[in-house]
Amino acid sequence: MTVTELVSYEEALATYEPVMGLEVHVELGTKTKMFCGCSTELGAEPNSQTCPTCLGMPGSLPVVNAVGVESAVKIGLALHCEIAEWCRFARKNYFYPDMPKNFQTSQYDEPIAFNGYLDVQLEDGEVFRVEIERAHMEEDTGKSTHVGGATGRIHGASHSLLDYNRAGIPLIEIVTKPITGAGERAPEVAKAYVAELRELIKALGVSEARMEMGQMRCDVNLSLMPKGAEKFGTRSETKNVNSLRSVERAARFEIQRHAAVLSSGGTILQETRHFHEEDGSTTSGRIKEEAEDYRYFPEPDLVPVAPSREWVEELRATLPELPRVRRNRLREEWGVSEHDMQSILNAGAVDLIVATIEAGADAASARKWWMGELARRANEAGTDLAALEITPGQVARVCALVAEGSLNDKLARQVIEGVLAGEGDPDEVVDKRGLKVVSDEGALGTAVDEAIAANAAVADKIRAGKVAAAGALVGAVMKATRGQADAARVRELILEKLGVEG
Ligand code: ADP
Ligand code: MG
Ligand code: ZN
């Protein structure tokens, strides 16, 4: 199916009600794998972080990673879930070369956490509750690289390479209940949910949840039913969508595709689909297997997990403020609009601004520099704000120099440029580049006298009462001092010398 055959989004929503289900996999940031002591460090030589257990050798025995369980409980609690008093792992049996055990150790009908919810805030400020079915523990597979074909897929490849370093890294899979009632905002809800979940996971400190690194990936299940119907339609499952924008686009595309198929009398197959970044489309993957196909059975080599109620309560007490609640609190403290807060969030600037304020800056200045000059520079360099070579402490120092009058905004921008270029701390850049507001009244006075003399006609106008003309003289002085004067003070001096009231 090509894009041109899609039904328009508005038309699709006029006839159908979308139902969505989101499955998010989060790779935990534990030092070792879920069932063995192998390192999880990224970027190692292929197959250098493996052992008999994660390679599935006969006779090897798994042991549960306690930090993995703790992270799962924390995630469950933060999602307002009930925590199982007793649960087991299960074997999900299937063959794929990247899974040397021939089964994935997962959880099936006994997840560690279940029945929760996450409130997400939409762009207009409205809060939408997404209900959580369960969060369960499992392990990642290895990674296959198909070589020799044009697409990187197995079809057309001459051979495949297998790296088992990732096999056995702990994953938490978080599954929503069917999301209904979002209507035309379903794609926005999907994006906001994944964004909120990512913030939550980061705040819990259980994973960096970097989607671009595959540490968090989302499967988007979607179906349509005629408006007013109660029985859900057949769903498609778009796998491994790995950016917020893609989650939204995938949901949107599937709504349009389903509508096209259904409106022309066709049937939707329950299948997995691949998302394509280039044009935002999805294409057919494989027909969906049923749970029975996996022959799930309880894992006999692992003891059941039975988190004591005391321990669960201890963990509950360590939970941080929810990201949405924190954002709303900061928004009020900083006195910014919903819309500005959204931009700050999208720019990844919340924590940077908080840290800059902690380092002594006032909220307005911290926000101004991060969202202005620094955002512009990050944009130019094609990087994130956090990746810029400047610390919140350094930004706070720039704010302080401006506040005390040693720098004006123009000079401050040059200081920032120097810090980013590796010339040192703001004070060092000021010294090395000789960037200081000329506050020596004598030197300023001379520059003002010179400007008045060189622009006699303008000076006459000002004397005659046309105060607005002072701007031209201020400009001349700023130019003569290479921008290193306090413009407000220069203006005062000019008016003083010309005997006019400001
Ligand atoms: P599977 O393992 O087959 O992917 P899961 O139960 O793990 O099944 O996940 C299915 C996801 O799709 C869940 O989030 C669920 O709420 C959602 N879902 C179930 N039925 C539908 C449907 N008809 N339309 C849209 N989403 C659905
Ligand atoms: Mg699934
Ligand atoms: Zn191992």
Side-chain angles (χ1 to χ4, degrees):
M1 161 151 287
T2 61
V3 179
T4 51
E5 291 170 67
L6 297 178
V7 163
S8 84
Y9 191 68
E10 292 66 30
E11 207 182 315
L13 269 303
T15 322
Y16 300 102
E17 171 70 32
V19 176
M20 232 168 23
L22 301 166
E23 296 167 78
V24 173
H25 285 92
V26 179
E27 225 175 63
L28 293 179
T30 54
K31 289 206 174 64
T32 56
K33 293 185 179 179
M34 192 65 194
F35 304 111
C36 64
C38 290
S39 168
T40 57
E41 186 106 10
L42 287 174
E45 191 64 12
N47 297 308
S48 62
Q49 294 165 345
T50 56
C51 73
T53 299
C54 57
L55 289 177
M57 302 286 187
S60 64
L61 283 174
V63 178
V64 176
N65 182 333
V67 180
V69 177
E70 179 179 301
S71 304
V73 173
K74 281 185 181 170
I75 292 174
L77 289 172
L79 293 172
H80 311 95
C81 287
E82 295 168 51
I83 305 298
E85 298 198 11
W86 190 91
C87 64
R88 285 175 297 188
F89 286 95
R91 290 189 180 186
K92 182 179 182 180
N93 297 284
Y94 68 101
F95 168 79
Y96 199 77
D98 65 13
M99 209 183 50
K101 299 191 295 187
N102 277 349
F103 61 85
Q104 181 188 31
T105 307
S106 181
Q107 292 195 284
Y108 178 47
D109 48 0
E110 301 170 4
I112 184 137
F114 49 93
N115 275 345
Y117 64 85
L118 181 62
D119 283 336
V120 305
Q121 202 155 357
L122 303 181
E123 258 158 47
D124 63 4
E126 198 193 306
V127 174
F128 191 98
R129 177 160 295 186
V130 174
E131 299 201 66
I132 307 292
E133 171 88 41
R134 63 177 198 271
H136 70 248
M137 301 178 282
E138 57 182 40
E139 59 178 339
D140 214 341
T141 58
K143 201 170 170 181
S144 14
T145 309
H146 306 299
V147 188
T151 60
R153 294 250 161 83
I154 197 163
H155 301 283
S158 59
H159 59 286
S160 297
L161 299 171
L162 287 159
D163 175 10
Y164 295 112
N165 285 352
R166 201 179 66 182
I169 288 188
L171 294 179
I172 303 296
E173 179 174 344
I174 301 152
V175 184
T176 69
K177 293 188 179 165
I179 302 169
T180 57
E184 61 181 9
R185 294 200 292 183
E188 192 197 340
V189 167
K191 179 180 162 192
Y193 167 76
V194 178
E196 190 62 26
L197 191 54
R198 187 183 62 174
E199 293 301 308
L200 182 65
I201 299 285
K202 284 198 292 191
L204 290 171
V206 295
S207 166
E208 288 179 32
R210 291 169 66 172
M211 295 188 82
E212 71 283 5
M213 311 261 293
Q215 291 170 337
M216 184 165 164
R217 15 193 220 266
C218 179
D219 301 342
V220 180
N221 292 269
L222 191 125
S223 67
L224 294 184
M225 56 184 180
K227 275 196 155 170
E230 290 191 349
K231 192 170 174 294
F232 297 166
T234 304
R235 68 185 156 113
S236 58
E237 181 179 355
T238 306
K239 302 290 283 184
N240 291 327
V241 187
N242 64 3
S243 77
L244 295 179
R245 179 164 175 263
S246 298
V247 167
E248 186 171 26
R249 291 170 87 203
R252 208 179 159 90
F253 183 90
E254 282 298 282
I255 287 175
Q256 292 180 258
R257 186 184 68 83
H258 279 231
V261 172
L262 296 173
S263 299
S264 63
T267 40
I268 293 288
L269 297 175
Q270 188 174 336
E271 60 180 1
T272 65
R273 297 184 67 86
H274 303 291
F275 179 73
H276 305 284
E277 297 280 348
E278 320 82 71
D279 61 358
S281 69
T282 68
T283 52
S284 180
R286 57 188 156 81
I287 294 296
K288 185 75 189 167
E289 35 320 82
E290 299 290 331
E292 304 86 75
D293 297 332
Y294 288 119
R295 298 289 186 272
Y296 281 99
F297 66 84
E299 166 60 60
D301 286 344
L302 285 167
V303 289
V305 176
S308 80
R309 297 300 95 178
E310 295 74 42
W311 185 54
V312 169
E313 289 317 309
E314 270 169 38
L315 291 180
R316 196 193 301 277
T318 68
L319 293 185
E321 188 180 17
L322 284 175
R324 184 181 55 85
V325 175
R326 174 172 181 255
R327 270 199 318 274
N328 284 336
R329 174 173 62 77
L330 291 174
R331 192 174 66 71
E332 285 188 2
E333 284 175 15
W334 298 351
V336 299
S337 66
E338 294 270 4
H339 179 266
D340 285 347
M341 198 64 201
Q342 193 64 44
S343 314
I344 291 171
L345 179 69
N346 293 345
V350 177
D351 291 336
L352 295 168
I353 294 174
V354 168
T356 306
I357 295 170
E358 277 169 10
D362 66 275
S365 321
R367 204 177 87 233
K368 168 179 147 179
W369 290 106
W370 283 110
M371 294 304 289
E373 180 66 8
L374 290 163
R376 192 180 64 77
R377 293 211 169 248
N379 197 23
E380 250 172 35
T383 58
D384 293 338
L385 280 180
L388 288 177
E389 297 288 336
I390 190 165
T391 64
Q394 291 171 324
V395 176
R397 181 63 188 146
V398 172
C399 294
L401 290 169
V402 174
E404 73 182 33
S406 304
L407 294 177
N408 57 24
D409 282 9
K410 182 161 174 253
L411 294 172
R413 281 195 289 276
Q414 294 178 43
V415 173
I416 286 173
E417 178 188 78
V419 175
L420 292 174
E423 292 169 26
D425 280 333
D427 292 286
E428 290 173 70
V429 178
V430 166
D431 284 346
K432 281 189 209 156
R433 292 195 178 191
L435 302 173
K436 261 226 160 30
V437 167
V438 179
S439 51
D440 170 351
E441 290 279 318
L444 263 191
T446 311
V448 169
D449 289 340
E450 281 168 9
I452 291 175
N455 299 278
V458 182
D460 284 342
K461 275 194 206 163
I462 300 171
R463 281 196 196 89
K466 208 161 173 285
V467 177
L473 292 188
V474 175
V477 175
M478 294 306 284
K479 196 167 170 202
T481 56
R482 296 188 3 258
Q484 303 190 7
D486 174 355
R489 180 69 192 131
V490 170
R491 194 184 142 86
E492 270 170 27
L493 277 177
I494 291 169
L495 297 182
E496 240 173 71
K497 286 187 188 272
L498 296 176
V500 212
E501 291 282 310

